[in-house]
Structures are given as structure tokens and as C-alpha cells.
Amino acid sequence: MEPVVLVHPRGFGYVRGQADITHLANRMAPLGLLSIAGMLRKHGIPVRVFDLCARPLPPDRLVSELMRLRPRLLGLSCTTASFLDGVRTIEAIKRDMPDLKVVFGGVHVSSLKGAILERFPAIDMVVAGEGEPAMLGLAEGKPPSSIPGVFCRDGDGIRTAGPREELVDLDLLPFPAYDLIEGFPRKYLLPIFNYPRFPGATMVTSRGCPYQCSYCDRSVYGRSYRFNSADYVYGQMKYLRRRFGVRHINIYDDQFTFRRSRVKELCDRLAAEPLDLTFNCAVHMGHIDRDLLKALKRAGCWMVSIGIESGDPGLVSFHKQNVQIARVHEHVAMIKQAGLRVKGLFMMGLPGETEETIQRTIRFILSLDLDDMNMSKFTPFPGSPIYRRIHEFGRFEENWDMMNCLNFTFVPEGISSKARLDELYSLFLKSYYQRAKVHRKYIRMMWQSPHSYSVLLRHLPRFVRARNYWDSGAGEKLTV
């Protein structure tokens, strides 16, 4: 029986002018594809998964594998930054296998839908929205135009049955098919210095978000918010621990603590029936309290991340919902008092950004007692509310390969040039990481996250070159 083959393109995870080290410090399993694979396998359909991030294959090798497998259907799931790499991959495949049916899914095509088919003739179909039911229908041979969420070619036009109205019951999904990716879990690395024990894995226990921040693409799940039950989440954690020996889990929910009763039930279960593992999660400041944080700690939580984005109140009120800058210090202190590490998540280059707002954000970050920090480069993704108006706020170079939050593709009106924005970013990194306080924290990581240090030492020359890249452009000092 011919299998369905699912491919995760490598894409581009680098900064212009710098070697790509992202896959050394953070290599995440393709959870969306693995969930689809689990659904197909549950219904008796053979499936193969090629994760080109963990196991890069040149196009000729991938073609050879596909020629051997003769799949009934080839599916790719892409972010904006990996989409064009995916297109180039299937163009090479179709030169040898012109009759192979190819379907693309993921957040990028969910936002652009049929326009993808108009621009890229090598793609036969796209799935907008949740992939499991649509891919199951396609694998079972149903007419594509009859499956909600699928856009397909019809002569010179494009046909669709419209959006899928019935959303997936998440507790009815099988666990992601982690066993179908080669080398799991040891080939998959969590963000460096963000875990105490190895090996690690990733999970998603909810879909959607009730908020609508300006920069978030909600085209896959819309404004819905659904979640797995505490029993399901505990069961998946137990499966990862017993089947694969996983010792730490990153939970990549946008709103893990939104439904307090679910999280409290899960924490109570983990405390009563420990699995000998730790976990991280992201929390919204509007949905945490002292008792819940203590419950997370008892359950094995090691670190929580909070999305702050900016230290400028005007920018935060324009771009993000339900976050009060004035209370951030209070929430950071509350997290640390519960015995948890805290990581702050920020963005530079948002519409409305100026040199003054960047200075204000830097002062704000330096005033927080964070254990870790991530500053991403704002990217106006298709499907986000701000994308439709982005040219009102500055200059935008829509180069999908570079739209990975590691490169500035948008320059706000208040910043003179992209070169200046890159310079300010480098200066910020120097001001944050070259402090004795931060050095002491990372020295303690030798005991708190020993595997991270082994990764760092194995690839030290490449990490040093990356550091020198942002360090070399910082000739001035920021006034903080």
C-alpha cells in the first residue's frame, strides 16, 4: 500500500552575513506533521516523515527515497521562512515525478490560501487550517474540492469547499508520531541553557488564543481556543518519559495557563504521581497567581516564559492585549519567589519603534531580574493584523526566506535605516550579556544545565563566530 510522505523543509534559520547556528542551539520536532502522521496511522494509512532540519537531504537523495516509496501523496508543512525552500524542493522532485500530487499546509499557506496556487504551479493543493482531517480525506482518496479547508486546481481556476467549520476534538487525536522521525529524541535540542536535563522533547497542549496581538498570525485556528484535558496531557508526558526516556519537556502553548482549573489538575496529578521529568511553559501575566505558580513548581516546572515585547507602554498598548507594563516587575518577582526561573520575551523593530523606545526597552530589561531573555526581530507575517497595514508604518522588504525573526525585513519610520536597526540590536545584546550578573548566571548553568555546556563546547568555534558577528558592529555605547 503506497504511503503518504510528509516533509518538513529546512528553510532558512540564519542571519545575513552569519553562519547558521540555530539548529545547534534549538532543533524542534515538527509537531504539526507528527500529529497528522499519527492521525493517518490511526486510520491504517502508512506514512513516512522526512525532517530535513534534523536530517538534511539534498534534493537528489530525497527524490531517490521518493522514487523507492512511490507515495500516493506528498505533504509539506511550512513556515513563512521555510516556504520557498519547500517550493524549490518539490520543483526538483517533480522534474522526476511529475504526476506526484503535492499538498502544502502550515501557517504560511493558511494565511494566503488559494493565492499560493496562483503563484506556484508546482503545488497541486493547499490546506488552510487544521491539517489532520483534511489530510486524512485526501489520503483516503476523497475529491479535494469536497474537503473543507482544501484549495485545489480546477482547470484554469481554483476550487474549494470552504473553511472547515467543525474543529478537531484535541483529546481524540493520537499522540504525535514521534517514533517516525529519525534519532528522536537525542537529535532534537531544546534552546540552549533552557533545560536542566537531557534528552528533551516538545509538546503542544492547546490550540489557538483568545487574544489578538498585532503581530500574531491566527490564520490556522482563528480566534478559537481549545485544549487537551489534564488526563491527556499527563498521558502524553508519561508516554514521552517511558517510551523515549525524555527528561524535560518544553510546552509550546501560547496560553498554557489560560484555563486555570486544567493546569491545577495537571499539576496535582504530576505531584501525586511524579514522572521524574521537568518542564517549561509560557504564561500570560493575566493568568498566573501565587498559588498556581507554587503548584507548577511542585509539579516539576523549571522555567516559565512571559511575553512582554517592549518596555515602552505606548508600543505595548498598541500591539499587545492585556499586558500592563507597570506590573511586570511584580510578576517577575512573584515567579521567582515561587522558585521558578523566568525568561522574558521581547521584540525590536515593531511599528512605532524609535531610538527612544528602544532605549526605554533596554533600560526596562536591565531593571528586571530575569534568568534568561530572548529579543526577536519583529517580522510582519502574512495573516497577522498588522501585515495588512504594514506600509503605513515604515519600509517593508517582503523576502520570505529572511522572514524568520532573526533578520529585520521591516524598518519603522522612526529608525533611519536597516543598518542602524541592526546596530541598535547589536548594541542591546552587548549591554545585556556583558554584565557580570549575567556571566554569573551562565557560570551556574554548568551545574544547572550541564548538557547545554557540552553542546556549547562541541560547537564553540561556531558560537564564537556568531558572537563576534554582533559584537563587531557595536562601536558606540547605549545610554541606559
Side-chain angles (χ1 to χ4, degrees), residues 75-331:
L76 292 87
S77 179
C78 301
T79 63
T80 298
S82 68
F83 175 77
L84 291 177
D85 187 42
V87 170
R88 289 186 284 266
T89 299
I90 59 127
E91 286 174 343
I93 291 168
K94 283 213 164 186
R95 284 194 287 269
D96 293 290
M97 305 179 71
D99 296 327
L100 177 62
K101 293 299 182 185
V102 173
V103 56
F104 271 55
V107 63
H108 185 71
V109 301
S110 290
S111 62
L112 297 175
K113 303 180 175 66
I116 292 291
L117 299 180
E118 295 172 359
R119 293 182 57 182
F120 300 96
I123 302 174
D124 299 297
M125 296 166 281
V126 299
V127 171
E130 290 185 296
E132 293 91 354
M135 286 297 291
L136 178 60
L138 291 171
E140 290 175 336
K142 295 178 181 177
S145 60
S146 71
I147 303 172
V150 175
F151 291 74
C152 61
R153 300 186 188 282
D154 181 20
D156 294 331
I158 295 169
R159 292 187 63 186
T160 179
R164 180 169 296 278
E165 302 293 343
E166 184 178 352
L167 299 175
V168 173
D169 183 334
L170 300 186
D171 271 10
L172 297 182
L173 289 175
F175 297 151
Y178 296 98
D179 58 296
L180 292 182
I181 48 177
E182 184 178 320
F184 179 84
R186 292 186 174 272
K187 278 192 177 180
Y188 290 84
L189 301 176
L190 301 179
I192 194 167
F193 298 120
N194 276 220
Y195 56 94
R197 298 190 286 180
F198 179 81
T202 51
M203 285 176 55
V204 172
T205 76
S206 64
R207 292 183 177 180
C209 176
Y211 301 114
Q212 186 62 80
C213 299
S214 74
Y215 45 81
C216 281
D217 186 338
R218 297 294 176 205
S219 54
V220 176
Y221 307 124
R223 293 294 296 273
S224 68
Y225 176 72
R226 291 160 293 143
F227 50 87
N228 290 113
S229 66
D231 280 345
Y232 184 100
V233 177
Y234 181 87
Q236 187 174 343
M237 287 179 154
K238 185 176 181 178
Y239 170 69
L240 286 167
R241 179 73 187 100
R242 302 286 167 80
R243 171 71 171 78
F244 300 104
V246 165
R247 304 296 302 279
H248 183 82
I249 294 172
N250 266 13
I251 299 175
Y252 273 96
D253 294 28
D254 291 323
Q255 295 291 342
F256 180 66
T257 57
F258 185 80
R259 184 59 65 96
R260 188 185 191 283
S261 58
R262 174 186 82 121
V263 178
K264 184 64 166 57
E265 182 182 349
L266 173 65
C267 289
D268 289 346
R269 179 83 179 271
L270 286 167
E273 303 174 53
L275 296 174
D276 188 27
L277 54 75
T278 51
F279 64 94
N280 295 349
C281 61
V283 301
H284 190 289
M285 285 184 288
H287 302 288
I288 55 173
D289 56 64
R290 294 183 188 280
D291 288 342
L292 187 61
L293 291 169
K294 290 177 182 177
L296 285 167
K297 175 66 176 178
R298 287 194 300 271
C301 186
W302 191 67
M303 183 171 75
V304 301
S305 300
I306 51 175
I308 304 167
E309 317 315 343
S310 173
D312 182 82
L315 281 180
V316 171
S317 65
F318 183 80
H319 291 288
K320 193 172 181 69
Q321 288 188 312
N322 201 29
V323 169
Q324 300 176 31
I325 286 294
R327 299 193 64 193
V328 172
H329 284 89
E330 170 191 337
H331 282 91

Side-chain angles (χ1 to χ4, degrees), residues 405-419:
C405 297
L406 300 172
N407 293 277
F408 286 117
T409 57
F410 169 78
V411 179
E413 282 185 346
I415 306 293
S416 59
S417 66
K418 180 183 175 300

Side-chain angles (χ1 to χ4, degrees), residues 8-11 23 27-28 50-56 82 188:
H8 182 218
R10 181 175 177 84
H23 297 294
R27 187 184 300 133
M28 180 176 169
F50 290 89
D51 181 3
L52 302 186
C53 289
R55 184 195 172 203
S82 68
Y188 290 84

